[in-house]
Amino acid sequence: MKTKIIYTLVGDVNDVYLPQAMIAIYSARIHNQGATIILVVDYNTSCVINETLPKIKDYINEILVVNTPGNMSNKEKSRYIKTTLRQHIKGDYLFIDTDTIITESLESIDLVEGNIAAVLDRHILVENHQYKNKICAELQLLGMNLEDLQDQYFNSGVMYVKDTDLAHEFYKKWYSNWEYSRKLGKCIDQPSMALANKQCNYPIFELEGIWNCQLADNFLNFLHDAKILHYFASNNSSPYRLYDKRIFIDILTNKSIPPYLKNQLQHPKDFFVTKHSLAYGKDVTFLNSNLHKIFLWHKKIFDFFEFLSRVLISKKIC
């Protein structure tokens, strides 16, 4: 495999990002023995790794320490490294978020011809996206609208990037857009990436969903052949068992990946929770509604409406 595999990490002992990264990198190594894997971090994170999880070095070729602005939070430093990554790496690379699991060899990424490539966010065109209104609001902050996307809104969790002038120019604009967004109070990186895509005349090539199988919405068509599972550790819930933060705590406590998890990572597509159900159509609309969020966050409100619905159904009112 000629393309380098790149992970970025900013974290400390009070969060789960370090063990999360260790699992992701381990899964990449067992399926890509000869690949060059680089972990890009800030200085503080490099110190934490040495103190808490030095075994992560067993699975990588290099830890690259990047100087980050001192006035940034860890979240901002993470996005800073992500949006300036092209200037720190020599050669073509495949960037992968740490809340991911590699399921097989990634060597066929060498065959991608575009300068930059990524998978559609939530595997769907913007017109049908579950969070279209949210995306629209975030884009408007940068002076964009949905039409500017040409119906393609890309997920930044997995990105193939060649070492070309166009890719370098893209990243310069991406960082500049993100910095502008940060000053407006928005630290997220995908809207600023979408603006960079427009500014550079849409160089992002669409990768097949198997390269970033996002285990949140619309992923079933890609799960069987998925090379990378993206389980979104920042979500409120996930059907993937690695969402269970007790696993991360176990790794921090023992400073290594436990044998049971190593065995499971040999068959990562079998690692879903036992209790789950499939939603589609109108059910998906409800699950993504603000009403459903209120029910999730406020148990008393849920209990009241659940009681009311039982009464109505028992009286055959509805």
Side-chain angles (χ1 to χ4, degrees), residues 153-188:
Y153 188 63
F154 292 99
N155 186 274
S156 64
V158 176
M159 295 183 66
Y160 172 75
V161 185
K162 275 193 168 66
D163 195 349
T164 62
D165 290 341
L166 177 56
H168 280 268
E169 181 63 21
F170 174 89
Y171 268 78
K172 287 179 183 178
K173 293 186 181 301
W174 187 8
Y175 168 70
S176 178
N177 296 337
W178 174 79
E179 179 64 14
Y180 174 75
S181 176
R182 181 179 78 91
K183 291 179 180 178
L184 294 178
K186 293 292 184 179
C187 188
I188 53 179

PDB file of all heavy atoms in Angstrom, residues 153-188:
ATOM      1  N   TYR A 153     -22.892  16.823  -0.108  1.00  0.00           N
ATOM      2  CA  TYR A 153     -22.316  17.304   1.144  1.00  0.00           C
ATOM      3  C   TYR A 153     -21.486  16.160   1.711  1.00  0.00           C
ATOM      4  O   TYR A 153     -22.022  15.098   2.057  1.00  0.00           O
ATOM      5  CB  TYR A 153     -23.427  17.710   2.108  1.00  0.00           C
ATOM      6  CG  TYR A 153     -22.947  18.393   3.370  1.00  0.00           C
ATOM      7  CD1 TYR A 153     -22.284  19.619   3.304  1.00  0.00           C
ATOM      8  CD2 TYR A 153     -23.172  17.833   4.621  1.00  0.00           C
ATOM      9  CE1 TYR A 153     -21.859  20.265   4.456  1.00  0.00           C
ATOM     10  CE2 TYR A 153     -22.757  18.471   5.774  1.00  0.00           C
ATOM     11  CZ  TYR A 153     -22.094  19.681   5.686  1.00  0.00           C
ATOM     12  OH  TYR A 153     -21.671  20.321   6.821  1.00  0.00           O
ATOM     13  N   PHE A 154     -20.176  16.360   1.797  1.00  0.00           N
ATOM     14  CA  PHE A 154     -19.278  15.257   2.102  1.00  0.00           C
ATOM     15  C   PHE A 154     -18.971  15.156   3.591  1.00  0.00           C
ATOM     16  O   PHE A 154     -18.890  16.157   4.303  1.00  0.00           O
ATOM     17  CB  PHE A 154     -17.975  15.406   1.319  1.00  0.00           C
ATOM     18  CG  PHE A 154     -18.149  15.221  -0.167  1.00  0.00           C
ATOM     19  CD1 PHE A 154     -18.246  16.322  -1.012  1.00  0.00           C
ATOM     20  CD2 PHE A 154     -18.239  13.948  -0.717  1.00  0.00           C
ATOM     21  CE1 PHE A 154     -18.417  16.158  -2.380  1.00  0.00           C
ATOM     22  CE2 PHE A 154     -18.413  13.779  -2.080  1.00  0.00           C
ATOM     23  CZ  PHE A 154     -18.501  14.873  -2.921  1.00  0.00           C
ATOM     24  N   ASN A 155     -18.779  13.917   4.042  1.00  0.00           N
ATOM     25  CA  ASN A 155     -18.373  13.656   5.413  1.00  0.00           C
ATOM     26  C   ASN A 155     -16.850  13.726   5.487  1.00  0.00           C
ATOM     27  O   ASN A 155     -16.149  13.124   4.672  1.00  0.00           O
ATOM     28  CB  ASN A 155     -18.859  12.279   5.853  1.00  0.00           C
ATOM     29  CG  ASN A 155     -18.585  12.010   7.317  1.00  0.00           C
ATOM     30  OD1 ASN A 155     -17.506  11.551   7.674  1.00  0.00           O
ATOM     31  ND2 ASN A 155     -19.558  12.288   8.165  1.00  0.00           N
ATOM     32  N   SER A 156     -16.339  14.446   6.479  1.00  0.00           N
ATOM     33  CA  SER A 156     -14.889  14.660   6.585  1.00  0.00           C
ATOM     34  C   SER A 156     -14.187  13.591   7.413  1.00  0.00           C
ATOM     35  O   SER A 156     -12.992  13.695   7.678  1.00  0.00           O
ATOM     36  CB  SER A 156     -14.604  16.042   7.191  1.00  0.00           C
ATOM     37  OG  SER A 156     -15.105  16.116   8.529  1.00  0.00           O
ATOM     38  N   GLY A 157     -14.899  12.542   7.796  1.00  0.00           N
ATOM     39  CA  GLY A 157     -14.322  11.511   8.661  1.00  0.00           C
ATOM     40  C   GLY A 157     -13.336  10.595   7.977  1.00  0.00           C
ATOM     41  O   GLY A 157     -12.479   9.990   8.635  1.00  0.00           O
ATOM     42  N   VAL A 158     -13.436  10.464   6.665  1.00  0.00           N
ATOM     43  CA  VAL A 158     -12.475   9.693   5.872  1.00  0.00           C
ATOM     44  C   VAL A 158     -12.215  10.479   4.592  1.00  0.00           C
ATOM     45  O   VAL A 158     -13.155  10.766   3.853  1.00  0.00           O
ATOM     46  CB  VAL A 158     -12.996   8.284   5.517  1.00  0.00           C
ATOM     47  CG1 VAL A 158     -12.002   7.556   4.615  1.00  0.00           C
ATOM     48  CG2 VAL A 158     -13.257   7.461   6.784  1.00  0.00           C
ATOM     49  N   MET A 159     -10.954  10.808   4.337  1.00  0.00           N
ATOM     50  CA  MET A 159     -10.632  11.603   3.151  1.00  0.00           C
ATOM     51  C   MET A 159      -9.344  11.099   2.504  1.00  0.00           C
ATOM     52  O   MET A 159      -8.320  10.945   3.178  1.00  0.00           O
ATOM     53  CB  MET A 159     -10.465  13.083   3.514  1.00  0.00           C
ATOM     54  CG  MET A 159     -11.736  13.749   4.014  1.00  0.00           C
ATOM     55  SD  MET A 159     -11.490  15.516   4.355  1.00  0.00           S
ATOM     56  CE  MET A 159     -11.154  16.161   2.718  1.00  0.00           C
ATOM     57  N   TYR A 160      -9.415  10.834   1.211  1.00  0.00           N
ATOM     58  CA  TYR A 160      -8.231  10.503   0.436  1.00  0.00           C
ATOM     59  C   TYR A 160      -7.695  11.797  -0.166  1.00  0.00           C
ATOM     60  O   TYR A 160      -8.452  12.568  -0.775  1.00  0.00           O
ATOM     61  CB  TYR A 160      -8.568   9.519  -0.679  1.00  0.00           C
ATOM     62  CG  TYR A 160      -7.425   9.284  -1.639  1.00  0.00           C
ATOM     63  CD1 TYR A 160      -6.342   8.484  -1.267  1.00  0.00           C
ATOM     64  CD2 TYR A 160      -7.411   9.875  -2.901  1.00  0.00           C
ATOM     65  CE1 TYR A 160      -5.283   8.280  -2.134  1.00  0.00           C
ATOM     66  CE2 TYR A 160      -6.359   9.674  -3.776  1.00  0.00           C
ATOM     67  CZ  TYR A 160      -5.293   8.876  -3.387  1.00  0.00           C
ATOM     68  OH  TYR A 160      -4.244   8.676  -4.241  1.00  0.00           O
ATOM     69  N   VAL A 161      -6.395  12.055   0.027  1.00  0.00           N
ATOM     70  CA  VAL A 161      -5.824  13.336  -0.405  1.00  0.00           C
ATOM     71  C   VAL A 161      -4.477  13.089  -1.087  1.00  0.00           C
ATOM     72  O   VAL A 161      -3.557  12.541  -0.470  1.00  0.00           O
ATOM     73  CB  VAL A 161      -5.628  14.292   0.784  1.00  0.00           C
ATOM     74  CG1 VAL A 161      -5.143  15.653   0.295  1.00  0.00           C
ATOM     75  CG2 VAL A 161      -6.918  14.447   1.583  1.00  0.00           C
ATOM     76  N   LYS A 162      -4.368  13.508  -2.324  1.00  0.00           N
ATOM     77  CA  LYS A 162      -3.100  13.421  -3.036  1.00  0.00           C
ATOM     78  C   LYS A 162      -2.206  14.613  -2.687  1.00  0.00           C
ATOM     79  O   LYS A 162      -2.684  15.669  -2.243  1.00  0.00           O
ATOM     80  CB  LYS A 162      -3.342  13.384  -4.551  1.00  0.00           C
ATOM     81  CG  LYS A 162      -3.630  11.990  -5.106  1.00  0.00           C
ATOM     82  CD  LYS A 162      -3.530  12.004  -6.626  1.00  0.00           C
ATOM     83  CE  LYS A 162      -3.519  10.577  -7.190  1.00  0.00           C
ATOM     84  NZ  LYS A 162      -4.764   9.858  -6.980  1.00  0.00           N
ATOM     85  N   ASP A 163      -0.907  14.436  -2.900  1.00  0.00           N
ATOM     86  CA  ASP A 163       0.053  15.502  -2.646  1.00  0.00           C
ATOM     87  C   ASP A 163       0.213  16.328  -3.926  1.00  0.00           C
ATOM     88  O   ASP A 163       1.199  16.216  -4.652  1.00  0.00           O
ATOM     89  CB  ASP A 163       1.391  14.903  -2.217  1.00  0.00           C
ATOM     90  CG  ASP A 163       2.320  15.944  -1.592  1.00  0.00           C
ATOM     91  OD1 ASP A 163       1.993  17.150  -1.685  1.00  0.00           O
ATOM     92  OD2 ASP A 163       3.350  15.553  -1.022  1.00  0.00           O
ATOM     93  N   THR A 164      -0.781  17.160  -4.207  1.00  0.00           N
ATOM     94  CA  THR A 164      -0.796  17.983  -5.419  1.00  0.00           C
ATOM     95  C   THR A 164      -1.011  19.447  -5.040  1.00  0.00           C
ATOM     96  O   THR A 164      -1.459  19.765  -3.927  1.00  0.00           O
ATOM     97  CB  THR A 164      -1.923  17.544  -6.368  1.00  0.00           C
ATOM     98  OG1 THR A 164      -3.189  17.732  -5.690  1.00  0.00           O
ATOM     99  CG2 THR A 164      -1.777  16.090  -6.768  1.00  0.00           C
ATOM    100  N   ASP A 165      -0.728  20.338  -5.961  1.00  0.00           N
ATOM    101  CA  ASP A 165      -0.937  21.770  -5.723  1.00  0.00           C
ATOM    102  C   ASP A 165      -2.404  22.062  -5.419  1.00  0.00           C
ATOM    103  O   ASP A 165      -2.721  22.894  -4.559  1.00  0.00           O
ATOM    104  CB  ASP A 165      -0.487  22.577  -6.941  1.00  0.00           C
ATOM    105  CG  ASP A 165       1.025  22.567  -7.131  1.00  0.00           C
ATOM    106  OD1 ASP A 165       1.743  22.252  -6.159  1.00  0.00           O
ATOM    107  OD2 ASP A 165       1.475  22.853  -8.253  1.00  0.00           O
ATOM    108  N   LEU A 166      -3.303  21.391  -6.134  1.00  0.00           N
ATOM    109  CA  LEU A 166      -4.728  21.610  -5.917  1.00  0.00           C
ATOM    110  C   LEU A 166      -5.142  21.207  -4.513  1.00  0.00           C
ATOM    111  O   LEU A 166      -5.900  21.921  -3.833  1.00  0.00           O
ATOM    112  CB  LEU A 166      -5.548  20.832  -6.939  1.00  0.00           C
ATOM    113  CG  LEU A 166      -7.075  20.911  -6.785  1.00  0.00           C
ATOM    114  CD1 LEU A 166      -7.557  22.355  -6.808  1.00  0.00           C
ATOM    115  CD2 LEU A 166      -7.763  20.103  -7.883  1.00  0.00           C
ATOM    116  N   ALA A 167      -4.645  20.071  -4.034  1.00  0.00           N
ATOM    117  CA  ALA A 167      -4.980  19.608  -2.685  1.00  0.00           C
ATOM    118  C   ALA A 167      -4.443  20.580  -1.632  1.00  0.00           C
ATOM    119  O   ALA A 167      -5.116  20.877  -0.637  1.00  0.00           O
ATOM    120  CB  ALA A 167      -4.430  18.210  -2.454  1.00  0.00           C
ATOM    121  N   HIS A 168      -3.234  21.089  -1.843  1.00  0.00           N
ATOM    122  CA  HIS A 168      -2.657  22.059  -0.903  1.00  0.00           C
ATOM    123  C   HIS A 168      -3.488  23.350  -0.886  1.00  0.00           C
ATOM    124  O   HIS A 168      -3.737  23.917   0.184  1.00  0.00           O
ATOM    125  CB  HIS A 168      -1.215  22.368  -1.276  1.00  0.00           C
ATOM    126  CG  HIS A 168      -0.229  21.333  -0.821  1.00  0.00           C
ATOM    127  ND1 HIS A 168       0.430  21.396   0.387  1.00  0.00           N
ATOM    128  CD2 HIS A 168       0.191  20.184  -1.414  1.00  0.00           C
ATOM    129  CE1 HIS A 168       1.231  20.353   0.517  1.00  0.00           C
ATOM    130  NE2 HIS A 168       1.102  19.588  -0.570  1.00  0.00           N
ATOM    131  N   GLU A 169      -3.905  23.804  -2.049  1.00  0.00           N
ATOM    132  CA  GLU A 169      -4.727  25.008  -2.119  1.00  0.00           C
ATOM    133  C   GLU A 169      -6.074  24.789  -1.445  1.00  0.00           C
ATOM    134  O   GLU A 169      -6.587  25.675  -0.735  1.00  0.00           O
ATOM    135  CB  GLU A 169      -4.933  25.409  -3.582  1.00  0.00           C
ATOM    136  CG  GLU A 169      -5.759  26.676  -3.785  1.00  0.00           C
ATOM    137  CD  GLU A 169      -5.112  27.910  -3.202  1.00  0.00           C
ATOM    138  OE1 GLU A 169      -3.876  27.901  -2.994  1.00  0.00           O
ATOM    139  OE2 GLU A 169      -5.840  28.896  -2.935  1.00  0.00           O
ATOM    140  N   PHE A 170      -6.644  23.612  -1.631  1.00  0.00           N
ATOM    141  CA  PHE A 170      -7.912  23.264  -0.996  1.00  0.00           C
ATOM    142  C   PHE A 170      -7.797  23.368   0.523  1.00  0.00           C
ATOM    143  O   PHE A 170      -8.658  23.952   1.193  1.00  0.00           O
ATOM    144  CB  PHE A 170      -8.330  21.856  -1.413  1.00  0.00           C
ATOM    145  CG  PHE A 170      -9.549  21.333  -0.698  1.00  0.00           C
ATOM    146  CD1 PHE A 170     -10.815  21.568  -1.210  1.00  0.00           C
ATOM    147  CD2 PHE A 170      -9.437  20.631   0.492  1.00  0.00           C
ATOM    148  CE1 PHE A 170     -11.956  21.103  -0.548  1.00  0.00           C
ATOM    149  CE2 PHE A 170     -10.557  20.159   1.156  1.00  0.00           C
ATOM    150  CZ  PHE A 170     -11.814  20.396   0.641  1.00  0.00           C
ATOM    151  N   TYR A 171      -6.732  22.809   1.080  1.00  0.00           N
ATOM    152  CA  TYR A 171      -6.560  22.831   2.533  1.00  0.00           C
ATOM    153  C   TYR A 171      -6.311  24.234   3.061  1.00  0.00           C
ATOM    154  O   TYR A 171      -6.748  24.573   4.177  1.00  0.00           O
ATOM    155  CB  TYR A 171      -5.428  21.880   2.946  1.00  0.00           C
ATOM    156  CG  TYR A 171      -5.923  20.489   3.283  1.00  0.00           C
ATOM    157  CD1 TYR A 171      -6.256  19.593   2.281  1.00  0.00           C
ATOM    158  CD2 TYR A 171      -6.076  20.075   4.608  1.00  0.00           C
ATOM    159  CE1 TYR A 171      -6.728  18.322   2.581  1.00  0.00           C
ATOM    160  CE2 TYR A 171      -6.540  18.815   4.923  1.00  0.00           C
ATOM    161  CZ  TYR A 171      -6.861  17.933   3.903  1.00  0.00           C
ATOM    162  OH  TYR A 171      -7.335  16.687   4.210  1.00  0.00           O
ATOM    163  N   LYS A 172      -5.615  25.046   2.305  1.00  0.00           N
ATOM    164  CA  LYS A 172      -5.426  26.430   2.734  1.00  0.00           C
ATOM    165  C   LYS A 172      -6.762  27.140   2.879  1.00  0.00           C
ATOM    166  O   LYS A 172      -7.008  27.865   3.851  1.00  0.00           O
ATOM    167  CB  LYS A 172      -4.547  27.182   1.726  1.00  0.00           C
ATOM    168  CG  LYS A 172      -3.077  26.791   1.772  1.00  0.00           C
ATOM    169  CD  LYS A 172      -2.285  27.555   0.729  1.00  0.00           C
ATOM    170  CE  LYS A 172      -0.820  27.124   0.717  1.00  0.00           C
ATOM    171  NZ  LYS A 172      -0.046  27.835  -0.333  1.00  0.00           N
ATOM    172  N   LYS A 173      -7.649  26.938   1.913  1.00  0.00           N
ATOM    173  CA  LYS A 173      -8.969  27.563   1.964  1.00  0.00           C
ATOM    174  C   LYS A 173      -9.820  26.933   3.062  1.00  0.00           C
ATOM    175  O   LYS A 173     -10.599  27.627   3.741  1.00  0.00           O
ATOM    176  CB  LYS A 173      -9.654  27.445   0.605  1.00  0.00           C
ATOM    177  CG  LYS A 173      -8.977  28.261  -0.488  1.00  0.00           C
ATOM    178  CD  LYS A 173      -9.754  28.232  -1.778  1.00  0.00           C
ATOM    179  CE  LYS A 173      -9.049  29.025  -2.877  1.00  0.00           C
ATOM    180  NZ  LYS A 173      -8.834  30.443  -2.514  1.00  0.00           N
ATOM    181  N   TRP A 174      -9.685  25.613   3.236  1.00  0.00           N
ATOM    182  CA  TRP A 174     -10.453  24.930   4.278  1.00  0.00           C
ATOM    183  C   TRP A 174     -10.102  25.497   5.647  1.00  0.00           C
ATOM    184  O   TRP A 174     -10.984  25.839   6.437  1.00  0.00           O
ATOM    185  CB  TRP A 174     -10.175  23.428   4.232  1.00  0.00           C
ATOM    186  CG  TRP A 174     -11.040  22.614   5.144  1.00  0.00           C
ATOM    187  CD1 TRP A 174     -12.109  23.026   5.872  1.00  0.00           C
ATOM    188  CD2 TRP A 174     -10.907  21.205   5.415  1.00  0.00           C
ATOM    189  NE1 TRP A 174     -12.661  21.982   6.593  1.00  0.00           N
ATOM    190  CE2 TRP A 174     -11.940  20.860   6.330  1.00  0.00           C
ATOM    191  CE3 TRP A 174     -10.015  20.217   4.971  1.00  0.00           C
ATOM    192  CZ2 TRP A 174     -12.091  19.548   6.808  1.00  0.00           C
ATOM    193  CZ3 TRP A 174     -10.178  18.916   5.444  1.00  0.00           C
ATOM    194  CH2 TRP A 174     -11.205  18.588   6.353  1.00  0.00           C
ATOM    195  N   TYR A 175      -8.791  25.633   5.912  1.00  0.00           N
ATOM    196  CA  TYR A 175      -8.389  26.174   7.212  1.00  0.00           C
ATOM    197  C   TYR A 175      -8.873  27.614   7.376  1.00  0.00           C
ATOM    198  O   TYR A 175      -9.386  27.994   8.440  1.00  0.00           O
ATOM    199  CB  TYR A 175      -6.874  26.125   7.393  1.00  0.00           C
ATOM    200  CG  TYR A 175      -6.449  26.930   8.598  1.00  0.00           C
ATOM    201  CD1 TYR A 175      -6.753  26.502   9.886  1.00  0.00           C
ATOM    202  CD2 TYR A 175      -5.817  28.173   8.440  1.00  0.00           C
ATOM    203  CE1 TYR A 175      -6.413  27.256  10.991  1.00  0.00           C
ATOM    204  CE2 TYR A 175      -5.475  28.935   9.535  1.00  0.00           C
ATOM    205  CZ  TYR A 175      -5.779  28.476  10.807  1.00  0.00           C
ATOM    206  OH  TYR A 175      -5.460  29.230  11.901  1.00  0.00           O
ATOM    207  N   SER A 176      -8.712  28.415   6.352  1.00  0.00           N
ATOM    208  CA  SER A 176      -9.134  29.815   6.430  1.00  0.00           C
ATOM    209  C   SER A 176     -10.633  29.908   6.704  1.00  0.00           C
ATOM    210  O   SER A 176     -11.078  30.720   7.533  1.00  0.00           O
ATOM    211  CB  SER A 176      -8.790  30.535   5.123  1.00  0.00           C
ATOM    212  OG  SER A 176      -9.231  31.877   5.153  1.00  0.00           O
ATOM    213  N   ASN A 177     -11.415  29.076   6.039  1.00  0.00           N
ATOM    214  CA  ASN A 177     -12.863  29.074   6.248  1.00  0.00           C
ATOM    215  C   ASN A 177     -13.216  28.618   7.662  1.00  0.00           C
ATOM    216  O   ASN A 177     -14.116  29.171   8.305  1.00  0.00           O
ATOM    217  CB  ASN A 177     -13.547  28.154   5.233  1.00  0.00           C
ATOM    218  CG  ASN A 177     -13.373  28.626   3.814  1.00  0.00           C
ATOM    219  OD1 ASN A 177     -13.128  29.801   3.554  1.00  0.00           O
ATOM    220  ND2 ASN A 177     -13.500  27.697   2.869  1.00  0.00           N
ATOM    221  N   TRP A 178     -12.502  27.589   8.121  1.00  0.00           N
ATOM    222  CA  TRP A 178     -12.771  27.075   9.468  1.00  0.00           C
ATOM    223  C   TRP A 178     -12.413  28.117  10.524  1.00  0.00           C
ATOM    224  O   TRP A 178     -13.150  28.307  11.505  1.00  0.00           O
ATOM    225  CB  TRP A 178     -11.982  25.794   9.731  1.00  0.00           C
ATOM    226  CG  TRP A 178     -12.125  25.342  11.155  1.00  0.00           C
ATOM    227  CD1 TRP A 178     -13.183  24.681  11.704  1.00  0.00           C
ATOM    228  CD2 TRP A 178     -11.203  25.590  12.229  1.00  0.00           C
ATOM    229  NE1 TRP A 178     -12.975  24.501  13.063  1.00  0.00           N
ATOM    230  CE2 TRP A 178     -11.771  25.046  13.405  1.00  0.00           C
ATOM    231  CE3 TRP A 178      -9.956  26.216  12.302  1.00  0.00           C
ATOM    232  CZ2 TRP A 178     -11.119  25.102  14.630  1.00  0.00           C
ATOM    233  CZ3 TRP A 178      -9.309  26.273  13.545  1.00  0.00           C
ATOM    234  CH2 TRP A 178      -9.891  25.725  14.678  1.00  0.00           C
ATOM    235  N   GLU A 179     -11.295  28.803  10.347  1.00  0.00           N
ATOM    236  CA  GLU A 179     -10.872  29.828  11.308  1.00  0.00           C
ATOM    237  C   GLU A 179     -11.914  30.942  11.372  1.00  0.00           C
ATOM    238  O   GLU A 179     -12.231  31.445  12.464  1.00  0.00           O
ATOM    239  CB  GLU A 179      -9.506  30.373  10.906  1.00  0.00           C
ATOM    240  CG  GLU A 179      -8.971  31.466  11.817  1.00  0.00           C
ATOM    241  CD  GLU A 179      -8.694  31.001  13.232  1.00  0.00           C
ATOM    242  OE1 GLU A 179      -8.651  29.780  13.485  1.00  0.00           O
ATOM    243  OE2 GLU A 179      -8.534  31.884  14.109  1.00  0.00           O
ATOM    244  N   TYR A 180     -12.457  31.317  10.227  1.00  0.00           N
ATOM    245  CA  TYR A 180     -13.521  32.324  10.198  1.00  0.00           C
ATOM    246  C   TYR A 180     -14.749  31.816  10.948  1.00  0.00           C
ATOM    247  O   TYR A 180     -15.348  32.538  11.756  1.00  0.00           O
ATOM    248  CB  TYR A 180     -13.884  32.657   8.755  1.00  0.00           C
ATOM    249  CG  TYR A 180     -15.070  33.577   8.608  1.00  0.00           C
ATOM    250  CD1 TYR A 180     -14.957  34.938   8.878  1.00  0.00           C
ATOM    251  CD2 TYR A 180     -16.313  33.079   8.207  1.00  0.00           C
ATOM    252  CE1 TYR A 180     -16.050  35.784   8.753  1.00  0.00           C
ATOM    253  CE2 TYR A 180     -17.403  33.914   8.079  1.00  0.00           C
ATOM    254  CZ  TYR A 180     -17.276  35.264   8.358  1.00  0.00           C
ATOM    255  OH  TYR A 180     -18.366  36.094   8.238  1.00  0.00           O
ATOM    256  N   SER A 181     -15.105  30.560  10.706  1.00  0.00           N
ATOM    257  CA  SER A 181     -16.250  29.952  11.380  1.00  0.00           C
ATOM    258  C   SER A 181     -16.017  29.871  12.885  1.00  0.00           C
ATOM    259  O   SER A 181     -16.924  30.129  13.689  1.00  0.00           O
ATOM    260  CB  SER A 181     -16.504  28.559  10.810  1.00  0.00           C
ATOM    261  OG  SER A 181     -17.545  27.904  11.487  1.00  0.00           O
ATOM    262  N   ARG A 182     -14.799  29.523  13.289  1.00  0.00           N
ATOM    263  CA  ARG A 182     -14.470  29.417  14.717  1.00  0.00           C
ATOM    264  C   ARG A 182     -14.655  30.748  15.426  1.00  0.00           C
ATOM    265  O   ARG A 182     -15.169  30.807  16.552  1.00  0.00           O
ATOM    266  CB  ARG A 182     -13.028  28.933  14.880  1.00  0.00           C
ATOM    267  CG  ARG A 182     -12.589  28.757  16.330  1.00  0.00           C
ATOM    268  CD  ARG A 182     -11.161  28.260  16.409  1.00  0.00           C
ATOM    269  NE  ARG A 182     -10.200  29.327  16.185  1.00  0.00           N
ATOM    270  CZ  ARG A 182      -9.665  30.080  17.156  1.00  0.00           C
ATOM    271  NH1 ARG A 182     -10.019  29.905  18.419  1.00  0.00           N
ATOM    272  NH2 ARG A 182      -8.772  31.009  16.869  1.00  0.00           N
ATOM    273  N   LYS A 183     -14.252  31.816  14.776  1.00  0.00           N
ATOM    274  CA  LYS A 183     -14.398  33.138  15.385  1.00  0.00           C
ATOM    275  C   LYS A 183     -15.858  33.532  15.537  1.00  0.00           C
ATOM    276  O   LYS A 183     -16.194  34.401  16.348  1.00  0.00           O
ATOM    277  CB  LYS A 183     -13.641  34.171  14.553  1.00  0.00           C
ATOM    278  CG  LYS A 183     -12.130  34.004  14.635  1.00  0.00           C
ATOM    279  CD  LYS A 183     -11.397  35.017  13.782  1.00  0.00           C
ATOM    280  CE  LYS A 183      -9.886  34.839  13.888  1.00  0.00           C
ATOM    281  NZ  LYS A 183      -9.147  35.795  13.033  1.00  0.00           N
ATOM    282  N   LEU A 184     -16.723  32.879  14.748  1.00  0.00           N
ATOM    283  CA  LEU A 184     -18.165  33.121  14.868  1.00  0.00           C
ATOM    284  C   LEU A 184     -18.816  32.171  15.865  1.00  0.00           C
ATOM    285  O   LEU A 184     -20.026  32.185  16.046  1.00  0.00           O
ATOM    286  CB  LEU A 184     -18.831  32.964  13.497  1.00  0.00           C
ATOM    287  CG  LEU A 184     -18.432  33.992  12.432  1.00  0.00           C
ATOM    288  CD1 LEU A 184     -19.133  33.668  11.110  1.00  0.00           C
ATOM    289  CD2 LEU A 184     -18.777  35.408  12.884  1.00  0.00           C
ATOM    290  N   GLY A 185     -17.981  31.322  16.503  1.00  0.00           N
ATOM    291  CA  GLY A 185     -18.487  30.423  17.527  1.00  0.00           C
ATOM    292  C   GLY A 185     -18.831  29.037  17.057  1.00  0.00           C
ATOM    293  O   GLY A 185     -19.418  28.252  17.810  1.00  0.00           O
ATOM    294  N   LYS A 186     -18.486  28.680  15.801  1.00  0.00           N
ATOM    295  CA  LYS A 186     -18.777  27.352  15.255  1.00  0.00           C
ATOM    296  C   LYS A 186     -17.465  26.631  14.954  1.00  0.00           C
ATOM    297  O   LYS A 186     -16.727  27.023  14.056  1.00  0.00           O
ATOM    298  CB  LYS A 186     -19.610  27.471  13.977  1.00  0.00           C
ATOM    299  CG  LYS A 186     -21.018  27.998  14.197  1.00  0.00           C
ATOM    300  CD  LYS A 186     -21.875  26.994  14.956  1.00  0.00           C
ATOM    301  CE  LYS A 186     -23.303  27.495  15.088  1.00  0.00           C
ATOM    302  NZ  LYS A 186     -24.172  26.520  15.807  1.00  0.00           N
ATOM    303  N   CYS A 187     -17.216  25.556  15.712  1.00  0.00           N
ATOM    304  CA  CYS A 187     -15.941  24.847  15.591  1.00  0.00           C
ATOM    305  C   CYS A 187     -15.989  23.700  14.585  1.00  0.00           C
ATOM    306  O   CYS A 187     -14.970  23.106  14.269  1.00  0.00           O
ATOM    307  CB  CYS A 187     -15.530  24.321  16.973  1.00  0.00           C
ATOM    308  SG  CYS A 187     -13.880  23.623  17.037  1.00  0.00           S
ATOM    309  N   ILE A 188     -17.163  23.365  14.075  1.00  0.00           N
ATOM    310  CA  ILE A 188     -17.299  22.219  13.169  1.00  0.00           C
ATOM    311  C   ILE A 188     -16.576  22.475  11.851  1.00  0.00           C
ATOM    312  O   ILE A 188     -16.429  23.617  11.423  1.00  0.00           O
ATOM    313  CB  ILE A 188     -18.781  21.888  12.916  1.00  0.00           C
ATOM    314  CG1 ILE A 188     -19.540  23.123  12.448  1.00  0.00           C
ATOM    315  CG2 ILE A 188     -19.421  21.323  14.170  1.00  0.00           C
ATOM    316  CD1 ILE A 188     -20.999  22.877  12.143  1.00  0.00           C
TER     317      ILE A 188
END
